[in-house]
Amino acid sequence: MSISTVVTSMKDEAPYIIEWVAYHRAIGFDRIVVLANDCSDGTHEMLRRLHDTGEISYYENEVPLGAKPHSRALKIANDADEVKSADFVMVLDADEFLVVKQAPHTLDVLIDKLNSQRADMMVIPWRMFGSSHNIEFEDRPVIERFSHSMDAADLPKVGVKTLFRQGEGRRLAIHFPKPIMQGGEPVAGVDEEVWIDAGGQTLDRDVLTWNGGRNVIRRDFAEVAHFMIKSLDEYLLKIFRGDGLMNSNRHGIDYWRKADHNAVADLVVSGNVPDFKREYARLCADPVLMELHDTAVAARFARLEQILANPDVQSLRKILKRSTDGTLQSDDIQISRDLVTQLSPAVKVEELIEGDLPHSTLLSVTDAGLAQAGDLADRMFKQARNNATMFWPEKKFAKRPVTNLVEGLKRAQKNGREATLGARWFHNYARSLPEENWPVDEEVLVVFTRDDDTLMKEFPVHVARSKAKHVEKSQRGFPPLRATLDGGESPHDLEALIAEGRIEDPRARLKRYLADHPEAVVLNLDDPEDVAARITALEARGPSGPTVATLLRDVLDIAPVAAPEAARQAAQTP
């Protein structure tokens, strides 16, 4: 008889834990592995109780500086015996529920399908659920409160999750397992793997992405019910987190409108699982667990009362409700965006962190359009951990700059460091500028470039490889770079396109940027001696200078050199 394991990662999900565990136990998962990090709402205590009573296996996810919590959680789970010794494994988020659409609506239906087709992977699409016109937060199971979802009749492209046969050489990932690599090659053969969708159709793994890619993903046997927003008040709780900050770039009317899917009511999740209520009642019979649950729910209601006391929040709430009802007024969208801006005030760092603040440096790095830009950014991300540095792509950093920087300060305090360094990589010379409320003592701006001839040779390759959105869009009156360059252009071709006015000269753009930013440290990778000298000069720049220098050396794989004055003194020493 096969053993199946479901893995999830949580942060502050206390009111929903009992339901999630009961549901996935009821559909037939033998083992439930939960990882959680940085919880403050009772999640840790509830998971510890469930672990102690044998209902789940709980691993606390202590996230190292600069690491991604979800990725770290999956690495821990990879080594867990409950995962390694399972026959079938699936990774789900805490707001996702696997739904088996064929009777008897248990996991065995999907395992039998995999076995009958001798398949290794079943890729299962999301069905995204909206608010179902629910306004208030209730202490009732999510799967009973929300029954309205997107219309999936035309097989739209949405995210996917994967139920897979456990095997050597595979590691957990968010959407589907990935091969373990060694020396650039998978440690186990992947050519023999058979991938099918939830309709039993064979998939092309080479073109599979998080939303199916070029594959059409069917859903005859299963879907993943994804409750992204829940009720309107739960959405407000989601966006007003305990740190007092609101994510204005992500949340508000725009996110709500994209996520509030209430088109059809043809799938009632709880109705498909007759054993759910029995499992739910069994877990709720534990008085210790229920006391923890009730405390967490009461705290949510208290927090909601605090949020709704703000008249601006009440105004935003009314607009979001009108969006769901289909009665938005002509100026509601702009008003709601303005409200979000007002509700994201400049927060004093002293209110978010206690004690003396370490010296804070922000390292901002970009490139002039180099073919190896992606590789350099990846190296910086990986080396940041080894240098006690938090790393963010600019898009992620700019969403919550104060929160990100404060997290670095807190970790520096916890580890007794007098200085902290954060690093961000930005594309297209576009970065959010430090503001008065940012907890940053200094910013070090670094630009990677090469000689003009090399830059002209590499720029088309850079455009072809880039995943940044700016290459897909018109810029400064020029057509999209992706529509003009395919990566095979020679420097002569590039000069011709510049002369025709079809692309902007990357050399001229670099010079203009450097003229506007004379403080930038330019590292010309075609002049390694100059690069080494400039990095050495950075080493003496403030308390974070040595860390900045070490990080850049590790990224560029260059050895330290003595500063000119130090070298002269060393030469004169007998």
Side-chain angles (χ1 to χ4, degrees):
M1 188 173 180
S2 62
I3 297 173
S4 57
T5 297
V6 63
V7 177
T8 192
S9 177
M10 294 184 178
K11 179 176 180 179
D12 288 347
E13 298 283 353
Y16 311 105
I17 291 172
I18 295 177
E19 173 191 11
W20 199 94
V21 172
Y23 178 89
H24 288 95
R25 181 72 72 192
I27 68 170
F29 278 104
D30 303 293
R31 302 168 178 171
I32 296 177
V33 174
V34 184
L35 303 102
N37 62 283
D38 303 320
C39 295
S40 59
D41 72 336
T43 292
H44 169 75
E45 290 76 10
M46 290 186 69
L47 294 176
R48 174 53 60 188
R49 176 62 180 177
L50 286 165
H51 177 91
D52 291 344
T53 56
E55 302 294 343
I56 68 170
S57 296
Y58 171 45
Y59 295 88
E60 190 169 359
N61 179 18
E62 296 183 2
V63 184
L65 184 67
K68 295 181 178 180
H70 208 151
S71 298
R72 171 72 177 170
L74 295 183
K75 284 185 178 180
I76 295 172
N78 271 325
D79 293 329
D81 182 65
E82 299 89 341
V83 174
K84 291 194 297 184
S85 63
D87 298 294
F88 295 91
V89 179
M90 190 168 193
V91 176
L92 293 170
D93 290 344
D95 60 359
E96 295 174 340
F97 293 74
L98 174 63
V99 180
V100 182
K101 299 171 68 175
Q102 304 286 329
H105 307 292
T106 60
L107 191 63
D108 286 341
V109 173
L110 307 185
I111 292 175
D112 289 345
K113 185 65 178 174
L114 283 165
N115 288 335
S116 68
Q117 296 193 210
R118 297 185 178 180
D120 302 285
M121 319 282 175
M122 179 181 286
V123 177
I124 303 170
W126 282 340
R127 177 185 286 265
M128 294 182 288
F129 282 71
S131 66
S132 295
H133 298 267
N134 291 329
I135 305 300
E136 298 179 349
F137 169 43
E138 297 180 71
D139 182 21
R140 289 199 301 118
V142 168
I143 59 176
E144 294 179 356
R145 291 190 287 135
F146 303 99
S147 58
H148 286 69
S149 68
M150 60 181 273
D151 185 353
D154 59 350
L155 301 179
K157 288 228 174 276
V158 291
V160 301
K161 291 303 178 81
T162 304
L163 174 66
F164 67 94
R165 195 183 303 276
Q166 181 64 296
E168 292 293 330
R170 294 181 188 141
R171 63 179 178 85
L172 303 182
I174 295 173
H175 295 284
F176 38 76
K178 296 184 178 179
I180 297 174
M181 308 296 285
Q182 188 173 13
E185 297 293 332
V187 298
V190 297
D191 294 338
E192 299 81 15
E193 292 177 349
V194 176
W195 293 65
I196 62 173
D197 64 16
Q201 303 298 309
T202 303
L203 299 178
D204 183 352
R205 173 63 183 89
D206 292 336
V207 297
L208 181 65
T209 64
W210 72 274
N211 67 355
R214 285 185 250 164
N215 293 283
V216 176
I217 308 297
R218 291 166 178 79
R219 52 181 72 224
D220 306 66
F221 290 91
E223 296 174 318
V224 172
H226 192 183
F227 300 94
M228 296 172 63
I229 54 174
K230 304 181 178 73
S231 69
L232 198 160
D233 284 350
E234 283 163 286
Y235 180 65
L236 293 175
L237 285 167
K238 177 187 180 79
I239 65 180
F240 288 95
R241 298 190 184 278
D243 59 6
L245 298 178
M246 182 179 181
N247 187 341
S248 59
N249 284 328
R250 179 179 181 189
H251 291 111
I253 186 67
D254 300 293
Y255 186 95
W256 178 262
R257 292 174 75 194
K258 291 178 180 178
D260 192 19
H261 298 279
N262 301 302
V264 297
D266 63 348
L267 175 64
V268 180
V269 181
S270 61
N272 282 339
V273 187
D275 287 341
F276 165 66
K277 289 185 178 180
R278 183 163 54 251
E279 278 292 315
Y280 187 74
R282 186 179 66 80
L283 293 180
C284 289
D286 179 349
V288 175
L289 185 64
M290 279 309 296
E291 183 179 358
L292 292 170
H293 172 86
D294 291 343
T295 299
V297 169
R300 288 287 172 109
F301 277 116
R303 174 63 176 151
L304 182 61
E305 182 179 1
Q306 179 187 29
I307 292 170
L308 293 177
N310 186 330
D312 286 339
V313 175
Q314 287 284 359
S315 298
L316 177 61
R317 188 174 185 256
K318 291 176 182 177
I319 293 175
L320 295 175
K321 184 178 183 302
R322 286 200 291 272
S323 172
T324 298
D325 294 340
T327 59
L328 274 178
Q329 300 171 11
S330 59
D331 54 355
D332 274 346
I333 292 178
Q334 188 55 51
I335 290 174
S336 69
R337 290 171 178 165
D338 292 341
L339 284 169
V340 167
T341 300
Q342 294 170 29
L343 291 165
S344 306
V347 178
K348 294 181 179 179
V349 173
E350 302 85 63
E351 298 175 359
L352 302 177
I353 184 170
E354 298 178 356
D356 294 334
L357 299 183
H359 184 279
S360 175
T361 300
L362 177 62
L363 174 63
S364 301
V365 182
T366 191
D367 70 282
L370 309 185
Q372 69 269 45
D375 293 337
L376 291 172
D378 287 344
R379 283 184 60 82
M380 181 161 288
F381 164 66
K382 293 174 182 176
Q383 293 298 331
R385 301 186 196 182
N386 300 330
N387 289 280
T389 299
M390 298 190 72
F391 175 86
W392 314 273
E394 171 63 15
K395 181 179 178 181
K396 183 170 291 187
F397 173 81
K399 287 179 179 179
R400 297 172 68 85
V402 175
T403 301
N404 289 327
L405 292 166
V406 165
E407 180 65 22
L409 288 167
K410 288 180 177 178
R411 294 186 182 189
Q413 274 189 336
K414 182 179 179 180
N415 291 283
R417 294 194 300 271
E418 296 181 355
T420 179
L421 175 65
R424 59 171 169 169
W425 189 288
F426 61 99
H427 298 284
N428 201 31
Y429 300 116
R431 81 189 197 279
S432 51
L433 298 176
E435 297 181 9
E436 193 171 320
N437 66 314
W438 286 20
V440 171
D441 294 297
E442 62 170 339
E443 181 186 29
V444 178
L445 176 60
V446 171
V447 179
F448 290 142
T449 187
R450 303 193 70 169
D451 290 342
D452 283 355
D453 291 345
T454 309
L455 183 59
M456 291 293 283
K457 182 179 179 181
E458 291 196 350
F459 188 73
V461 180
H462 162 77
V463 172
R465 291 179 179 176
S466 177
K467 297 179 181 178
K469 290 186 177 180
H470 74 88
V471 300
E472 308 283 354
K473 300 178 180 179
S474 299
Q475 301 262 331
R476 296 172 57 85
F478 294 94
L481 285 167
R482 187 86 82 199
T484 308
L485 302 174
D486 62 16
E489 292 81 6
S490 68
H492 177 75
D493 296 331
L494 203 59
E495 293 282 10
L497 291 169
I498 293 169
E500 294 169 9
R502 294 177 60 190
I503 67 168
E504 188 174 13
D505 189 334
R507 299 162 300 187
R509 188 147 189 247
L510 171 63
K511 290 175 182 177
R512 185 170 62 249
Y513 183 79
L514 295 179
D516 293 337
H517 298 83
E519 76 280 12
V521 178
V522 182
L523 300 182
N524 183 344
L525 305 187
D526 286 329
D527 191 348
E529 291 187 4
D530 183 67
V531 168
R534 288 173 183 263
I535 292 177
T536 297
L538 282 173
E539 199 161 15
R541 183 169 164 173
S544 298
T547 306
V548 171
T550 301
L551 176 60
L552 290 173
R553 287 178 183 131
D554 288 348
V555 170
L556 299 175
D557 195 22
I558 61 174
V561 297
E565 181 61 30
R568 283 195 295 271
Q569 292 179 359
Q572 294 170 3
T573 301

